[in-house]
Amino acid sequence: MSLSDDITLANRLADAAGAAIRPLFRSAYAHEAKADASPVTEADRAAEAAMRRLLDAEAPRDGIIGEEYGAERPESSRQWVLDPIDGTVSFMAGRPIFGTLIALLQDGWPLIGIIDQPIAGERWVGAMGQPTLFNGKPATTRTCRNLSDAVLATTGPQYFSDHDGEHFMALAAQTSHKRMVFGGDCYNYGLLASGHIDLVVEAGLKLHDFAALVPVVEGAGGTMCDWNGDPLNADSAGHVIALGDPARLEDVIEGLACHHEHD
């Protein structure tokens, strides 16, 4: 399949997930806690099942890594990575800032990424070597002259370990911290790609949480890496930086660091 065919399929996956999610938003639906105490709903499962059905029909040799139903065909060099609702807590609270994440990895590296917000009808589509599109028009990050001007976002302080939280707060103190944004999951990365936020820093993310974000942010002119500055792939540990203006990367890593080691 060509890249354009893959992008078309990725958009169809997002359409299928959205069709499963919308009827359940702010309505009565079944939900439960997973083993790690994070919530999962009927909508998460219905959306992932819809995407898997489409992939089984359209790309039967490709692998699938999904948050709810695990991995299929892990030996394939092409892997679709699905997070049907990134931000289930927001979904359950009736906040339309969750998103469906769809990525295509080639040999472990993100090739295509979609962030889809099915309630607001907002979709960011990124593909390596191509400009990111937001609802069909180019999205671009904004410049940030100084770290002290940067608007920083993260899903929440409760998701950091004590150790990582100290590093995060050390960085936050050097940003425009009175404008810091909490909550938002994948939606923050879309806002960064469209030039509304400068910096997102998180830890403990899984592959399905970050794979789709990389092509979106980078195709909009930003950069994504781990806390050491290394590019993200299937083997990354889940410490993530997304930055709208790559010129500030050294400042961000230094601000986080006290030279962060994976300890």
Side-chain angles (χ1 to χ4, degrees), residues 104 162 167:
L104 175 61
D162 289 347
H167 286 279

Side-chain angles (χ1 to χ4, degrees), residues 147 152-154 156-178 180-182 199 201-203 227 252 254-258 260:
L147 189 56
L152 169 64
T154 195
Q158 69 271 34
Y159 296 105
F160 291 107
S161 67
D162 289 347
H163 172 85
D164 290 339
E166 284 173 29
H167 286 279
F168 175 82
M169 291 311 294
L171 171 68
Q174 298 181 46
T175 67
S176 182
H177 54 269
K178 295 252 163 83
M180 188 156 67
V181 177
F182 283 124
L199 177 61
V201 175
E202 303 198 275
W227 286 18
V252 171
E254 198 173 306
L256 266 177
C258 337
H260 179 83

Side-chain angles (χ1 to χ4, degrees), residues 6-31:
D6 287 330
I7 293 168
T8 299
L9 178 54
N11 276 295
R12 289 177 60 204
L13 294 171
D15 293 342
I21 290 165
R22 277 189 292 275
L24 294 167
F25 183 62
R26 295 183 186 166
S27 73
Y29 52 80
H31 62 88

